[in-house]
Amino acid sequence: MTQLLPAAFSPGLVLIVAGILAALAPRMGRNLLGVAGVAIGFIHLLSYGNAPVGEALHFAQSSAMGFEFTGIRIDRLSVIFAIIFHIAAMLNVIYGWQHATRIEASMGLIYAGAAIGGALAGDLLTLFVYWELAALSSVFIVWAGGGHAAFKAGMRYLVIQVSSGLLLLAGIAVHIGQGNGIAFEAFSLTQADGSANAAAWLILVSFGIKAAFPFLHTWLQDSYPKASAVGAVMLSAFTTKLAVYTLARGFAGTDILIPIGAAMTAFPVFFALIENDLRRVLAYSLNNQLGFMVCAIGIGTPLALNGAAAHAFVHIIYKALLFMSMGAVMVRVGTTKATELGGLHKSMPWTTVFCIVGAMSISAFPLFSGFVAKSMITLAAAEAHLLFAYLVLLFASAGVLEHSGIKIPYFAFFAHDNFAPSVTGRARPKEAPAPMMIAMGIAAFLCVGIGIQPQYLFALLPFEAEYHAYTLDHVVTQMQLLLFAILAFALLVKFRLYPAEIRSTNLDVDWFWRVPGRIGLMAAVRGTAAGWRRIWGGLRRLAGGTVRSLYATHGPEGGLARTWPVGYTALTTAVVLAVALLAVFFAR
């Protein structure tokens, strides 16, 4: 394909430029710039072609300060992520056609461009630039949610994201100090002599923060639900998936990622079941789905890595669809609290259908996109004889059906009818606005299309691996799992054992740094201030005493200020001269 732009100009930069221009344009101009920017960037990406499996094409190469920079690396791993980031960016533009603010429209494009640029970066310093740009642009999307809560969540989000960038920069510095180049290749957590590789560990923790590893995950639940209906859809697509890409690039086959990923799939299930805010449920569900990808990267076989890439691809679409449906509810109703919803299927039927499509996709029902990717990961765990990881993945698959496949559509659109005119005295909420409907329709079409015709997705996967999604074993195993999970939900609801939806605030591990951590920090601040006051008081007293002593001798009334007789002056001069002569004599 003929290139529209110079090969050295990254497709991500196209979206970044469009985002900068969108900040200066009226609403329709912003929308048109968004569509044009994403379309041009996508065509430019396709113009590079795709490298054969195991090979790469390099562009925008240069040398500076002794470093070899590669601004664009085209291989099968980077291209599949760049493609889905473009699709997500287009869905964001359409979804926010009427409701995206100037900040969201502009920063959303820059954010998407940074993710695309990071996925195509061939060296660590270029990755760092895009890594930080993604953090700085996305925090404005959090703040655009409005209100003091969004501002505070954005500040916490910014601190955590910048910390990830600082760790990445520190790891790069140590990596260079070890005599390595800056090419972004695979890392080893141990050095040749068996000692820990500090550079690799720093970079892994940096990636882990953005991938929402356990105990590092709470920024996600804290910030995403504080964003607007449009902003949450934007946030769901890029940061964590860029982290998944970097883990697949840098740490494929790293054993420690298997238990980390397994834990990520399991613990959000319990939080999501008792959460009242349905957008926070989706945030915990996002943790759960990331765990499948991280576990697959840790397994590291070609099939597992294909599963991680495929799951990231389909997850961006169906998670965006679920956030879109909850965003549409928020626009029409003003809340996504389960205790305040229900019965919306009567006035928002299309949104209900789209939400159910997203729910069936995330639950991995056959003929939906989640099935063709998730079964790849569970099969890879089974083939690697990782029994514990396989069982945890099965449990997590059942859990995601409970909290995202059933809970989200059930409590939002069915359950108790809180919007009956006889209850509210008002007309039922309207269906979602047309642009939101179009974006949800496109995402739903992709969820079903990929599930029915997965070969088009499989053609993009980065490694050669034999896999067939629709085998009897895969279908029967998954359907048994899903049907038993549905039966369990029905019985729990029937016998009123399912956790009740109540207005509450659920505590997560961030409590430890929000409450005792804040107390400890403030105690340290007070102790530091008290110590500084003591030191400053001592310095002031010492300086005052010195000044008074000097004044006593050198002041107008001091001893040295009075008139001395000639004899004393002559004697003083003689003594000084004698000392000087003796010094000269002994110096010889």
Side-chain angles (χ1 to χ4, degrees), residues 421-579:
S422 59
V423 175
T424 64
R426 300 188 302 271
R428 289 185 179 276
K430 296 179 180 179
E431 181 58 276
M436 291 185 171
M437 296 276 287
I438 293 171
M440 288 189 286
I442 294 172
F445 173 79
L446 290 173
C447 288
V448 176
I450 293 172
I452 295 174
Q453 298 289 336
Q455 65 270 18
Y456 297 107
L457 172 62
F458 294 165
L460 298 174
L461 295 179
F463 300 101
E464 295 286 354
E466 184 71 20
Y467 173 72
H468 301 284
Y470 289 103
T471 64
L472 184 61
D473 287 345
H474 292 166
V475 174
V476 171
T477 301
Q478 186 65 13
M479 287 305 300
Q480 286 177 332
L481 185 71
L482 294 172
L483 291 175
F484 275 111
I486 292 171
L487 176 62
F489 177 82
L491 293 175
L492 289 172
V493 172
K494 174 68 175 178
F495 294 104
R496 300 188 178 184
L497 297 175
Y498 193 84
E501 301 308 303
I502 58 175
R503 295 175 176 87
S504 61
T505 300
N506 294 327
L507 299 182
D508 205 331
V509 294
D510 60 339
W511 180 87
F512 291 101
W513 52 269
R514 285 203 191 191
V515 180
R518 179 181 174 83
I519 293 172
L521 177 62
M522 296 310 296
V525 169
R526 288 192 294 270
T528 303
W532 173 248
R533 283 195 296 270
R534 292 191 184 95
I535 294 171
W536 180 247
L539 291 174
R540 288 184 64 184
R541 287 191 295 272
L542 177 61
T546 303
V547 170
R548 285 191 296 272
S549 298
L550 291 173
Y551 186 84
T553 57
H554 292 77
E557 304 298 329
L560 295 178
R562 69 175 186 263
T563 302
W564 290 79
V566 175
Y568 286 108
T569 304
L571 178 61
T572 301
T573 303
V575 170
V576 171
L577 180 60
V579 171

Side-chain angles (χ1 to χ4, degrees), residues 7 35 400:
V35 171
V400 75

